[in-house]
Coordinates of all heavy atoms in Angstrom, one line a residue:
Chain A
I281 N 125.5 39.0 336.4 CA 124.5 38.8 337.5 C 125.1 39.0 338.9 O 124.4 39.1 339.9 CB 123.9 37.4 337.4 CG1 125.0 36.3 337.5 CG2 123.1 37.3 336.2 CD1 124.5 35.0 337.8
Q282 N 126.4 39.1 339.0 CA 127.0 39.3 340.3 C 128.4 40.0 340.3 O 129.2 39.6 339.5 CB 127.2 38.0 341.1 CG 127.7 38.1 342.5 CD 128.0 36.8 343.1 OE1 129.1 36.2 343.1 NE2 127.0 36.2 343.7
V283 N 128.5 41.0 341.1 CA 129.9 41.5 341.4 C 130.3 41.0 342.8 O 129.6 41.2 343.7 CB 129.9 43.1 341.4 CG1 131.3 43.6 341.9 CG2 129.6 43.6 340.0
E284 N 131.4 40.3 342.8 CA 131.9 39.7 344.0 C 133.1 40.5 344.5 O 134.1 40.4 343.9 CB 132.2 38.2 343.7 CG 132.9 37.6 344.9 CD 133.4 36.2 344.6 OE1 133.3 35.7 343.4 OE2 134.1 35.5 345.4
D285 N 132.9 41.2 345.6 CA 134.0 42.0 346.1 C 134.4 41.3 347.4 O 133.7 41.3 348.4 CB 133.4 43.4 346.5 CG 134.5 44.4 347.0 OD1 135.6 43.9 347.2 OD2 134.1 45.6 347.1
R286 N 135.6 40.7 347.3 CA 136.0 39.8 348.4 C 137.3 40.2 349.0 O 138.3 40.5 348.3 CB 136.1 38.4 347.9 CG 136.4 37.3 348.9 CD 136.4 35.9 348.3 NE 135.1 35.5 347.8 CZ 134.3 34.8 348.6 NH1 134.6 34.5 349.8 NH2 133.2 34.3 348.1
W287 N 137.4 40.1 350.4 CA 138.6 40.3 351.1 C 138.9 39.0 351.8 O 138.0 38.3 352.3 CB 138.5 41.4 352.1 CG 138.3 42.8 351.5 CD1 137.1 43.3 351.0 CD2 139.2 43.8 351.3 NE1 137.3 44.5 350.5 CE2 138.6 44.9 350.7 CE3 140.6 43.9 351.7 CZ2 139.3 46.1 350.4 CZ3 141.3 45.1 351.4 CH2 140.6 46.1 350.7
V288 N 140.2 38.6 351.8 CA 140.6 37.3 352.3 C 141.8 37.4 353.3 O 142.7 38.2 353.1 CB 141.0 36.4 351.1 CG1 141.6 35.1 351.6 CG2 139.8 36.1 350.2
N289 N 141.7 36.6 354.3 CA 142.7 36.6 355.3 C 143.9 35.8 354.8 O 143.8 34.6 354.6 CB 142.1 36.0 356.6 CG 143.1 36.0 357.7 OD1 144.3 36.2 357.6 ND2 142.5 35.8 358.9
P290 N 145.1 36.4 354.7 CA 146.3 35.7 354.1 C 146.7 34.6 355.0 O 147.2 33.6 354.5 CB 147.4 36.8 354.1 CG 146.6 38.1 354.2 CD 145.4 37.9 354.9
A291 N 146.4 34.7 356.3 CA 146.8 33.6 357.2 C 146.1 32.3 356.9 O 146.6 31.2 357.1 CB 146.6 34.0 358.7
V292 N 144.9 32.4 356.4 CA 144.1 31.3 356.1 C 144.2 30.7 354.7 O 144.2 29.5 354.5 CB 142.6 31.6 356.4 CG1 141.7 30.5 356.0 CG2 142.3 31.9 357.9
A293 N 144.5 31.6 353.8 CA 144.6 31.2 352.4 C 145.8 31.9 351.7 O 145.6 32.8 350.9 CB 143.3 31.5 351.6
P294 N 147.0 31.6 352.1 CA 148.2 32.3 351.7 C 148.4 32.3 350.2 O 149.0 33.2 349.6 CB 149.4 31.6 352.4 CG 148.8 30.3 352.9 CD 147.3 30.5 353.1
A295 N 147.9 31.3 349.5 CA 148.1 31.3 348.0 C 147.0 31.9 347.2 O 146.9 31.7 346.0 CB 148.4 29.8 347.6
Y296 N 146.2 32.7 347.9 CA 145.0 33.2 347.2 C 145.3 34.0 345.9 O 144.7 33.8 344.9 CB 144.2 34.1 348.1 CG 142.9 34.6 347.6 CD1 141.8 33.7 347.6 CD2 142.7 35.9 347.2 CE1 140.6 34.2 347.1 CE2 141.5 36.4 346.7 CZ 140.4 35.5 346.7 OH 139.2 35.9 346.2
L297 N 146.4 34.8 346.0 CA 146.7 35.6 344.8 C 147.2 34.9 343.6 O 147.2 35.4 342.5 CB 147.8 36.7 345.2 CG 147.3 37.7 346.2 CD1 148.4 38.8 346.4 CD2 146.0 38.4 345.8
E298 N 147.6 33.6 343.8 CA 148.2 32.8 342.7 C 147.1 32.0 342.0 O 147.4 31.3 341.1 CB 149.2 31.8 343.3 CG 150.6 32.4 343.5 CD 150.7 33.2 344.8 OE1 150.5 32.5 345.8 OE2 150.9 34.4 344.8
Q299 N 145.9 32.1 342.4 CA 144.9 31.3 341.8 C 144.4 31.9 340.4 O 144.5 33.1 340.2 CB 143.6 31.2 342.7 CG 143.9 30.6 344.0 CD 144.8 29.3 343.9 OE1 144.4 28.4 343.2 NE2 146.0 29.3 344.6
D300 N 144.0 31.0 339.5 CA 143.5 31.4 338.3 C 141.9 31.5 338.3 O 141.2 30.5 338.2 CB 143.9 30.5 337.2 CG 143.3 30.8 335.8 OD1 142.6 31.9 335.7 OD2 143.5 30.1 334.8
F301 N 141.4 32.7 338.6 CA 140.0 32.8 338.9 C 139.1 32.8 337.6 O 137.9 33.1 337.7 CB 139.7 34.0 339.8 CG 140.2 33.8 341.2 CD1 141.1 34.7 341.8 CD2 139.8 32.7 341.9 CE1 141.5 34.5 343.1 CE2 140.3 32.5 343.2 CZ 141.1 33.4 343.8
S302 N 139.7 32.5 336.5 CA 138.9 32.3 335.3 C 138.5 30.8 335.3 O 137.6 30.4 334.7 CB 139.6 32.7 334.0 OG 140.7 31.8 333.8
Q303 N 139.3 30.0 336.1 CA 139.0 28.6 336.1 C 138.3 28.1 337.3 O 137.5 27.1 337.3 CB 140.3 27.8 336.0 CG 141.1 28.0 334.7 CD 140.2 27.6 333.5 OE1 139.6 26.6 333.4 NE2 140.1 28.6 332.5
I304 N 138.4 28.8 338.4 CA 137.8 28.4 339.7 C 137.3 29.7 340.4 O 137.9 30.7 340.2 CB 138.9 27.7 340.6 CG1 138.2 27.1 341.8 CG2 140.0 28.6 340.9 CD1 139.2 26.2 342.6
T305 N 136.2 29.6 341.0 CA 135.7 30.8 341.7 C 136.4 30.9 343.1 O 136.8 29.9 343.6 CB 134.2 30.8 341.9 OG1 133.9 29.7 342.8 CG2 133.4 30.6 340.6
P306 N 136.5 32.1 343.6 CA 137.1 32.3 344.9 C 136.4 31.3 346.0 O 137.1 30.7 346.8 CB 136.9 33.7 345.3 CG 136.9 34.4 343.9 CD 136.2 33.4 343.0
N307 N 135.1 31.3 345.9 CA 134.4 30.4 346.8 C 134.8 29.0 346.7 O 135.1 28.3 347.7 CB 132.9 30.5 346.4 CG 132.0 30.4 347.6 OD1 132.5 30.1 348.7 ND2 130.8 30.6 347.4
E308 N 134.9 28.5 345.5 CA 135.4 27.1 345.3 C 136.8 26.9 345.8 O 137.0 25.9 346.5 CB 135.3 26.7 343.8 CG 133.9 26.6 343.3 CD 133.8 26.5 341.7 OE1 134.8 26.9 341.1 OE2 132.8 26.2 341.2
Y309 N 137.6 27.8 345.6 CA 139.0 27.7 346.1 C 139.0 27.7 347.6 O 139.7 26.9 348.2 CB 139.9 28.8 345.5 CG 141.2 28.9 346.2 CD1 142.1 27.8 346.0 CD2 141.6 29.9 347.0 CE1 143.4 27.8 346.6 CE2 142.8 29.9 347.6 CZ 143.7 28.9 347.4 OH 144.9 28.8 348.1
L310 N 138.3 28.6 348.2 CA 138.4 28.8 349.6 C 137.7 27.5 350.3 O 138.2 27.2 351.4 CB 137.7 30.0 350.1 CG 138.4 31.3 349.7 CD1 137.5 32.6 350.0 CD2 139.7 31.4 350.5
M311 N 136.7 27.0 349.7 CA 136.1 25.8 350.3 C 137.1 24.7 350.5 O 137.1 23.9 351.4 CB 135.0 25.2 349.3 CG 133.8 26.2 349.2 SD 132.6 25.9 350.5 CE 131.8 24.5 349.7
V312 N 138.1 24.6 349.5 CA 139.1 23.6 349.6 C 140.2 24.0 350.5 O 140.7 23.2 351.4 CB 139.7 23.3 348.2 CG1 140.8 22.2 348.3 CG2 138.6 22.8 347.2
A313 N 140.7 25.3 350.3 CA 141.8 25.7 351.1 C 141.5 26.0 352.6 O 142.4 25.8 353.4 CB 142.3 27.0 350.5
A314 N 140.3 26.3 352.9 CA 140.0 26.7 354.2 C 138.7 26.1 354.7 O 137.6 26.6 354.4 CB 139.9 28.2 354.4
P315 N 138.8 24.9 355.3 CA 137.6 24.2 355.7 C 136.6 25.1 356.5 O 137.0 25.8 357.4 CB 138.1 23.0 356.5 CG 139.5 23.4 356.9 CD 140.0 24.2 355.7
L316 N 135.4 25.1 356.1 CA 134.4 26.0 356.6 C 134.0 25.6 358.1 O 133.6 24.5 358.3 CB 133.2 26.0 355.7 CG 132.3 27.2 355.8 CD1 133.0 28.5 355.5 CD2 131.1 27.0 354.8
Q317 N 134.0 26.6 358.9 CA 133.5 26.4 360.3 C 132.2 27.1 360.6 O 131.4 26.6 361.4 CB 134.5 26.8 361.3 CG 135.7 25.9 361.5 CD 136.6 26.3 362.6 OE1 136.7 27.5 362.9 NE2 137.3 25.3 363.1
G318 N 132.0 28.2 360.0 CA 130.8 28.9 360.3 C 130.6 30.1 359.3 O 131.5 30.4 358.5
V319 N 129.4 30.6 359.3 CA 129.1 31.7 358.3 C 128.2 32.7 359.0 O 127.3 32.4 359.8 CB 128.3 31.1 357.1 CG1 127.9 32.2 356.2 CG2 129.1 30.1 356.4

Side-chain angles (χ1 to χ4, degrees):
Chain A
I281 55 164
Q282 182 185 94
V283 172
E284 174 188 358
D285 184 352
R286 184 180 290 272
W287 294 78
V288 173
N289 185 342
V292 172
Y296 187 74
L297 295 185
E298 279 82 59
Q299 303 312 306
D300 177 1
F301 288 127
S302 65
Q303 294 305 309
I304 188 172
T305 65
N307 212 352
E308 287 166 346
Y309 171 65
L310 290 172
M311 294 269 281
V312 178
L316 199 59
Q317 283 184 334
V319 178

